Amino acid sequence: MTDLFAPLTFSHGAAMKNRLMLAPLTNQQSNADGTLSDGEFDWLTRRASGGFGLVMTAAAHVQAVGQGFPGQIGIFGDQHLDGLTRLAAEIAKRGALSSVQLHHAGYRSPANLVGTPVGPSDDAATGTRALTLDEVERLRDDFIAAARRADKAGFDGVQVHGAHGYILAAFLSPVSNQRQDRYGGSPENRARLVFEIIDGIRATCKSDFQIGLRLSPERFGQDLDEVIAVAAKVMREGVIDYLDMSLWDYAKEPADEARKGRTLMSFFTELPRGTVRLGAAGKVMSGQAARAVLDAGCDFVSIGRAAILRHDFPERVRRDADYQSPALPVSRQHLADEGLHPPFIAYMAGWPGFVAEEPVA
């Protein structure tokens, strides 16, 4: 049984001081132009003070047309460097590793933010326009350029967002990717963009720069066998430092009836991983649940909602192995006390049962 508070080394860069990683959490707190706001700075740096071994930003879009939600932090231009540099320095000062999650929302981009969303293929249901081959190559290069910005800003690494139906997941999907060129057709072709981005980041960033990849194995047109194959290849080849599996619930069984009887997570923990570290996210709300993820074979745990509820979730678990997150719903004041600013609190109020209704005067 691995100790949650044992250090975790990576192939590149410094070790995480424990096994608890702050998941990339949409918070809608940054400025309209994608520059870092004081609210988002406060939210993230408090988590560094709270004991997380690695603090990751929310999804940061690598192209303006890739914006996925209002108030999203950006990394598509040098105008974002000042805020990112300030953030990386403060996270380091508070004792955590830092990472930017690189993102493009693809067909999930709201039209009122980007105009016509883009993706691997045309999609009438979402109004998505297929990228040309030149645009796919530019998208690849913009992911790599964004990683260089994160490197220049002083971050320890980046995580490539290949989950939840966003643009890289859309390329992986046999449903949403109907291309006939080298980025479509076979599973290998549909995964090509992800691997070219990873290879480009490794070739152009500093030698100790850490690269993570996030995948989700179900929903949004994903094929479980194909996601397993991508995970197996990326770990077998050792091209990343860690793989972060977004499972929605760490204990859930696969949606496929023929696969039930074991956890979805087990399909990934059983894969040979070489030097690559494996983690999982999904409803980890207590010290016991975090230990269960490690006991099931993961190397680290990504903490989402529990980190929203308590900025110092790791420190509370360190002091009390049986620590349990506060029961929902919580008050707006509770969230404000934990470093959420008004846009983030308003966003969380849209989650059923998360925020208590205000009393009527």
Side-chain angles (χ1 to χ4, degrees):
M1 289 170 52
T2 303
D3 181 358
L4 278 171
F5 295 92
L8 180 63
T9 59
F10 298 101
S11 294
H12 301 84
M16 233 167 54
K17 64 184 178 185
N18 58 41
R19 306 304 178 100
L20 297 166
M21 181 181 292
L22 179 68
L25 291 162
T26 300
N27 60 77
Q28 301 191 0
Q29 293 183 127
S30 269
N31 299 317
D33 61 358
T35 55
L36 183 76
S37 68
D38 289 342
E40 190 150 13
F41 176 86
D42 181 41
W43 144 257
L44 289 167
T45 56
R46 283 205 206 190
R47 272 70 203 163
S49 294
F52 282 95
L54 186 149
V55 170
M56 190 174 300
T57 70
H61 48 314
V62 303
Q63 292 182 334
V65 73
Q67 186 173 0
F69 45 86
Q72 183 173 8
I73 188 171
I75 195 168
F76 57 85
D78 289 348
Q79 68 269 28
H80 302 123
L81 275 171
D82 286 348
L84 292 168
T85 301
R86 175 185 172 220
L87 177 60
E90 190 63 24
I91 290 172
K93 181 180 175 181
R94 300 190 190 198
L97 299 184
S98 59
S99 179
V100 177
Q101 189 188 56
L102 304 182
H103 169 257
H104 187 299
Y107 71 81
R108 299 191 65 190
S109 292
N112 67 318
L113 291 179
V114 305
T116 301
V118 296
S121 303
D122 291 328
D123 180 60
T126 58
T128 298
R129 175 183 67 79
L131 293 168
T132 66
L133 180 58
D134 284 347
E135 287 173 327
V136 176
E137 293 172 343
R138 190 175 312 128
L139 174 66
R140 174 199 63 202
D141 294 345
D142 284 344
F143 265 94
I144 296 165
R148 287 200 300 269
R149 277 187 202 99
D151 188 3
K152 184 177 181 180
F155 282 84
D156 293 292
V158 293
Q159 184 187 84
V160 177
H161 197 337
H164 303 167
Y166 297 121
I167 204 158
L168 299 184
F171 269 87
L172 291 173
S173 169
V175 176
S176 55
N177 185 348
Q178 299 297 314
R179 300 180 72 89
Q180 301 300 313
D181 59 15
R182 67 177 183 271
Y183 292 102
S186 69
E188 294 76 17
N189 279 357
R190 285 184 274 110
R192 185 185 304 277
L193 180 58
V194 170
F195 283 90
E196 288 185 349
I197 289 168
I198 291 168
D199 290 344
I201 294 171
R202 181 62 71 212
T204 60
C205 290
K206 63 188 176 188
S207 60
D208 61 351
F209 199 63
Q210 294 172 346
I211 304 174
L213 172 65
R214 172 165 267 207
L215 297 174
S216 54
E218 296 180 328
R219 306 183 189 181
F220 300 106
Q222 297 303 310
D223 179 278
L224 178 56
D225 284 325
E226 291 191 5
V227 176
I228 292 170
V230 171
K233 177 178 168 66
V234 79
M235 290 195 288
R236 181 175 65 250
E237 296 182 355
V239 293
I240 59 172
D241 291 279
Y242 61 90
L243 176 63
D244 181 17
M245 295 304 307
S246 185
L247 305 177
W248 291 282
D249 182 343
Y250 77 93
K252 81 180 294 291
E253 296 183 359
D256 181 357
E257 289 293 330
R259 306 271 194 145
K260 291 192 180 295
R262 57 186 293 194
T263 64
L264 185 58
M265 183 166 58
S266 69
F267 288 88
F268 299 91
T269 57
E270 71 182 12
L271 296 172
R273 68 190 72 158
T275 60
V276 176
R277 305 306 192 182
L278 176 66
K283 295 186 179 178
V284 179
M285 303 295 288
S286 66
Q288 183 277 331
R291 289 193 302 276
V293 173
L294 296 191
D295 291 346
C298 284
D299 300 302
F300 67 90
V301 191
S302 291
I303 305 296
R305 277 173 283 187
I308 294 173
L309 291 168
R310 291 294 187 200
H311 76 280
D312 56 350
F313 176 83
E315 180 58 22
R316 289 173 183 262
V317 172
R318 188 189 66 78
R319 294 197 305 259
D320 175 7
D322 295 322
Y323 174 75
Q324 176 71 46
S325 294
L328 296 174
V330 295
S331 69
R332 291 172 183 265
Q333 187 60 53
H334 173 97
L335 295 177
D337 290 344
E338 291 298 329
L340 280 71
H341 290 249
F344 197 179
I345 295 172
Y347 173 65
M348 296 312 303
W351 289 33
F354 201 95
V355 179
E357 293 294 329
E358 296 286 347
V360 178

